[in-house]
Amino acid sequence: MRILLLGGTWFLGKAVARDALATGHVVTVFNRGLSAPDVQGTQAVRGDRTRVDDLDRLARQGPWDLVVDTSASEMSPRQVLTSARALEPVARQYVYVSTVNAYTGWPKEPLTEESPVYGAPSDADRDYGDGMGVTVHYGMQKAGCERAIRETFGEQRITILRPGVILGPGEYVGRLPWWLNRCAKGGDILAPGSPEQPIQPIDVRDVARFAITAPTGAFNVAAPQDLCTMNDLLLSCLTATRGDGRLVYAADEVLTAHGVREWTELPLWRTSPGTWAVDTRHAQAAGLVCRPLAETVVDTWAWMQTGKGPVLHPRWDQHGITPAKEREILAVLG
């Protein structure tokens, strides 16, 4: 196939480019050329997807069998609508990487692909949903982007992927790297909630493969609910780093009483019951295969040891509890 990748230099985009090349596809990447080098073997077209003239110039390089859009995370529905309209005449299928945040019920309740999404309009700007909280605003924006793709290409030519947490080599958010670094330091390690809590992070390489091979439709993209627990993750981090630390679990109410910020101070910890209750059977039936999380952990640690850090991103600094606060809570636990 001829594949157009919008992005292609960051985390998921880079993984898509590598997988597509490895499986024999011809890959064009469209980006500004500012963040990181293009994957060797791709055909680069420079431009800004917010500029109509750049999009028109890109469209003249087509046609493509598949467009994979991994670069719209910070874009408004209106901007995505503009790029979709420019590419519709020269693309057979459009894959848009959305998020579980597009569901009105996340993270409060279990989700299937039939769960309602936000009703954001396809031409909304970045201010739409502002003031309603970060999670809701982000979800509204992504739902509006989904609608922009759907209105432009129609149901029979689109694939909507709704991932939860994506981990793996090249991660720029900093969730798994923080846990790996913490486990490498050793000592008593504050661990969140219940060790038996199922979690559903998915490896970036598995998302990339599914983005290329998925049929049309909407899919929740996460690991199966029975694949891994929080304890499995943290033990894998200790094993990968050869750390001599001891996991000390604190109940949700203890962490809450000490003002620990969910999702960031102890990454991947959240008390909302729907956080890790995402039904992925539809995606599995369509070909999604998820590797063991232990493999993701080992490969991420190996990548971290190369010294090739991720693209700089402000979210990296949002993750992790301070040593002083961790010691304070550990002292209470005894």
Side-chain angles (χ1 to χ4, degrees):
M1 289 192 299
R2 295 193 71 214
I3 297 176
L4 170 62
L5 179 55
L6 302 181
T9 60
W10 281 30
F11 188 38
L12 177 57
K14 182 175 289 187
V16 172
R18 287 172 171 165
D19 193 277
L21 290 171
T23 49
H25 302 296
V26 177
V27 181
T28 301
V29 295
F30 178 66
N31 55 61
R32 295 174 299 170
L34 301 177
S35 299
D38 299 303
V39 173
Q40 187 173 3
T42 59
Q43 302 171 359
V45 177
R46 295 285 179 250
D48 187 331
R49 63 180 294 178
T50 66
R51 294 177 56 89
V52 174
D53 54 343
D54 285 356
L55 290 168
D56 290 342
R57 179 167 49 81
L58 171 65
R60 291 194 292 271
Q61 306 294 317
W64 292 279
D65 300 294
L66 190 68
V67 174
V68 182
D69 188 351
T70 67
S71 70
S73 60
E74 304 299 330
M75 294 195 169
S76 70
R78 182 179 301 167
Q79 291 170 325
V80 171
L81 181 64
T82 298
S83 58
R85 286 174 172 171
L87 295 173
E88 188 277 330
V90 292
R92 181 173 56 85
Q93 180 183 350
Y94 198 111
V95 177
Y96 177 66
V97 181
S98 184
T99 171
V100 291
N101 290 68
Y103 291 113
T104 60
W106 193 87
K108 299 183 292 294
E109 59 192 46
L111 298 175
T112 72
E113 285 84 0
E114 303 305 316
S115 300
V117 300
Y118 288 105
S122 60
D123 61 350
D125 60 22
R126 287 295 297 171
D127 293 333
Y128 189 88
D130 199 16
M132 301 187 70
V134 174
T135 298
V136 174
H137 176 249
Y138 183 56
M140 285 184 167
Q141 290 286 309
K142 298 296 271 189
C145 293
E146 289 186 16
R147 177 168 290 185
I149 302 300
R150 184 171 286 109
E151 289 180 358
T152 304
F153 279 82
E155 295 288 351
Q156 302 306 311
R157 296 170 59 198
I158 63 169
T159 301
I160 303 294
L161 305 183
R162 298 184 182 124
V165 172
I166 304 176
L167 303 177
E171 182 196 339
Y172 64 87
V173 175
R175 296 184 177 110
L176 180 52
W178 186 86
W179 277 118
L180 283 162
N181 283 326
R182 178 62 191 89
C183 287
K185 291 178 181 177
D188 284 350
I189 300 168
L190 182 63
S194 167
E196 301 309 314
Q197 171 64 55
I199 58 176
Q200 296 181 271
I202 186 170
D203 192 288
V204 63
R205 295 162 293 186
D206 298 332
V207 181
R209 172 59 57 89
F210 191 59
I212 297 168
T213 61
T216 57
F219 301 92
N220 294 332
V221 184
Q225 289 176 274
D226 59 355
L227 187 65
C228 183
T229 65
M230 179 62 76
N231 201 50
D232 293 331
L233 170 67
L234 298 185
L235 289 177
S236 294
C237 288
L238 285 169
T239 299
T241 61
R242 299 182 181 179
D244 59 356
R246 181 175 73 100
L247 299 175
V248 181
Y249 277 89
D252 292 342
E253 55 268 25
V254 173
L255 298 175
T256 300
H258 282 82
V260 178
R261 294 192 309 275
E262 297 185 25
W263 213 231
T264 53
E265 280 195 286
L266 291 176
L268 305 180
W269 169 67
R270 199 164 196 154
T271 59
S272 299
T275 303
W276 303 115
V278 180
D279 189 333
T280 63
R281 288 175 293 179
H282 185 41
Q284 293 173 54
L288 175 65
V289 177
C290 297
R291 71 194 67 202
L293 188 56
E295 181 179 335
T296 304
V297 170
V298 169
D299 291 349
T300 301
W301 181 245
W303 162 71
M304 290 169 64
Q305 302 318 295
T306 66
K308 298 177 181 178
V311 175
L312 295 178
H313 195 281
R315 293 180 68 183
W316 185 279
D317 294 330
Q318 296 174 5
H319 291 87
I321 193 169
T322 65
K325 189 170 184 178
E326 182 184 27
R327 286 193 299 270
E328 176 188 339
I329 299 173
L330 287 169
V332 171
L333 296 173

